[in-house]
């Protein structure tokens, strides 16, 4: 109930200059976000200014339902990575669609989650910041039902965590999973099984910590392909079995679970396949998937990498973002400029994709034939056009975006839009 109340209070925020693209007259009238949503304005005729990022209501619901059924079908628990959206409203929807909890990457994100009542957090990183660990000790002490798990990948990290938690007077041990690195050239994680065992031994000697499982991120496997990713996942599963055989999970109560976790948004089919082969251990296994980009999906990076391309019988995710910008200059027949740039669109992986044009004279929406986004400046998009492209100053271009993680973080309040352009809600983000 507390979580519902906190999310609900987001509707009480005033509509003002903090939020890009919202109608200026709504601010002048002193409307709250909830009051503006109740008006169900049209994105194109309701006073919104360009550029404006829209999130498809239908696609979001489709994607949420698809990953719920996928996880259930494959016997997976699901803790989607919240860093993708950092939106309490979307967290609430994910939990309503069966998510076990929400994954974080850094302590600040966990603090946002707790402010909105998230009871289960998996932090896919090692936490060695004393201030953050003091905060965690306080949260665990104050709420017996709060479950928090994070990575450990070094003996030194274990020492720092134990020292900070001990100094903070922690009364509940912090649950940790040993992170197995995805290869010599990969990101974080202990590089070998022997290194993992040394970290586990250090945890056993740290009163403020408790070992509950193993984890990692298969997306960092060097030169990742199906075979390499599955080979690493088999190592992860074997590590869990070896730890269990050696009695490293004996500190767990007999009613608890051993955690085995992996899963970004590019290889969760491999995770499902290999996790289905986890042998019987001394305790039940929580097979925890963490893919997060699925909520909005995209029109670039993940469109090509989604596992559903490899296993189409499982369904298909739908891109949910569309960035609308207005043509503000048409200096030559081959060139145009729109008023959206790096401040508005993800550009770290792929440039935006021009998809449709909304005619400024008629309101008609047509395919963006002969129109290509060729570059981004801070506040301008560079558009290349063929001689027969139908485009003039004042037209709106609707663009698909690549990489959800760097799309959400540019917008603090995002209109949730139905197919006919009706704005039904506003998605608040905290980056």
């Amino acid at each position: 109930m507390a979580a519902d109340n906190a999310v609900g209070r987001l509707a009480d925020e005033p509509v003002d200059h903090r939020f890009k693209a919202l109608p200026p007259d709504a601010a002048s009238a002193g409307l709250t976000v909830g009051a503006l949503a109740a008006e169900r304005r049209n994105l194109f005729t309701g006073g919104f200014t360009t550029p404006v990022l829209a999130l498809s209501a239908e696609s979001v619901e489709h994607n949420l339902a698809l990953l719920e059924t996928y996880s259930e079908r494959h016997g997976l628990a699901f803790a989607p990575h919240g860093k993708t959206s950092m939106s309490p409203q979307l967290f609430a929807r994910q939990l309503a669609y069966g998510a076990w909890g929400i994954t974080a990457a850094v302590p600040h994100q966990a603090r946002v989650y707790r402010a909105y009542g998230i009871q289960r957090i998996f932090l896919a990183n090692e936490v060695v910041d004393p201030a953050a660990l003091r905060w965690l000790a306080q949260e665990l002490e104050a709420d017996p039902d709060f479950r928090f798990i994070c990575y450990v990948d070094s003996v030194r990290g274990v020492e720092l965590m134990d020292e900070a938690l001990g100094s903070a007077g922690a009364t509940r041990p912090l649950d940790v999973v040993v992170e197995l690195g995805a290869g010599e050239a990969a990101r974080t994680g202990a590089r070998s099984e022997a290194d993992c065992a040394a970290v586990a031994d250090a945890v056993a000697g740290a009163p403020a910590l408790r070992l509950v499982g193993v984890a990692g991120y298969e997306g960092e496997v060097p030169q990742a392909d199906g075979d390499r990713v599955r080979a690493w996942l088999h190592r992860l599963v074997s590590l869990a079995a070896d730890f269990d055989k050696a009695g490293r999970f004996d500190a767990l109560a007999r009613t608890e679970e051993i955690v085995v976790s992996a899963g970004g948004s590019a290889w969760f089919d491999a995770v499902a396949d290999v996790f289905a082969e986890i042998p019987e251990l001394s305790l039940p296994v929580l097979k925890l998937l963490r893919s997060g980009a699925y909520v909005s999906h995209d029109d670039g990076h993940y469109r090509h990498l989604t596992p559903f391309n490899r296993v189409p019988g499982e369904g298909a995710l739908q891109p949910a973002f569309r960035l609308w910008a207005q043509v503000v200059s048409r200096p030559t027949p081959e060139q145009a400029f729109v008023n959206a740039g790096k401040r508005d669109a993800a550009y770290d992986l792929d440039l935006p994709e021009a998809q449709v044009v909304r005619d400024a004279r008629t309101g008609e929406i047509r395919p963006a034939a002969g129109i290509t986004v060729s570059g981004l400046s801070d506040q301008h998009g560079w558009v290349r056009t063929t001689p027969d492209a139908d485009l003039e100053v004042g037209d709106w271009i609707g663009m698909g975006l690549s990489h959800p993680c760097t799309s959400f973080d540019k917008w603090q309040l995002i209109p949730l839009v139905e197919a006919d352009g009706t704005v039904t809600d506003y998605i608040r983000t905290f980056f």
Side-chain angles (χ1 to χ4, degrees), residues 160-313:
L160 290 170
M161 295 171 76
D162 188 54
E163 179 183 347
L165 291 165
S167 297
T171 57
R172 285 177 61 189
L174 180 64
D175 286 348
V176 297
V177 289
V178 173
E179 182 192 6
L180 173 66
E184 289 302 320
R187 201 166 59 188
T188 56
R191 290 307 196 238
S192 70
E193 282 74 3
D195 292 338
C196 289
V199 175
D201 287 341
V203 172
L209 303 179
R210 184 177 71 151
L211 183 66
V212 299
V214 299
Y217 174 47
E218 75 291 338
E220 289 298 320
V221 170
Q223 299 176 309
D225 61 21
D227 291 339
R228 289 186 177 94
V229 167
R230 283 175 172 81
W232 177 83
L233 286 164
H234 281 297
R235 286 180 61 200
L236 184 69
V237 168
S238 295
L239 182 67
D242 290 345
F243 276 13
D244 188 45
K245 185 177 180 180
R248 297 188 185 279
F249 301 125
D250 286 352
L252 298 179
R254 305 315 297 173
T255 57
E256 294 183 293
E257 301 166 308
I258 296 169
V259 178
V260 182
S261 180
S265 294
W267 293 103
F268 57 77
D269 57 330
V271 174
D273 291 345
V274 176
F275 279 14
E277 302 171 9
I278 294 177
E280 184 175 351
L281 302 181
S282 62
L283 293 169
V285 178
L286 182 70
K287 304 172 184 179
L288 193 61
L289 183 70
R290 306 193 307 271
S291 312
Y294 80 102
V295 175
S296 62
H297 197 43
D298 72 0
D299 280 294
H301 183 71
Y302 287 111
R303 178 179 65 188
H304 302 299
L305 289 179
T306 175
F308 292 127
N309 290 342
R310 296 186 289 271
V311 282

Side-chain angles (χ1 to χ4, degrees), residues 91-102:
F91 299 160
R93 299 299 296 145
Q94 289 170 313
L95 293 169
Y97 275 93
W100 172 91
I102 305 293

Side-chain angles (χ1 to χ4, degrees), residues 362-373:
T362 66
E364 174 194 5
I365 294 178
R366 57 179 179 269
I371 300 170
T372 304
V373 178

Side-chain angles (χ1 to χ4, degrees), residues 136-184:
L136 269 174
Q138 293 165 0
E139 289 293 301
L140 291 166
E141 172 70 22
D143 186 352
D145 295 325
F146 173 41
R147 181 85 192 275
F148 182 90
I149 304 170
C150 72
Y151 282 179
V152 288
D153 79 346
S154 66
V155 172
R156 177 58 176 157
V158 169
E159 293 170 349
L160 290 170
M161 295 171 76
D162 188 54
E163 179 183 347
L165 291 165
S167 297
T171 57
R172 285 177 61 189
L174 180 64
D175 286 348
V176 297
V177 289
V178 173
E179 182 192 6
L180 173 66
E184 289 302 320

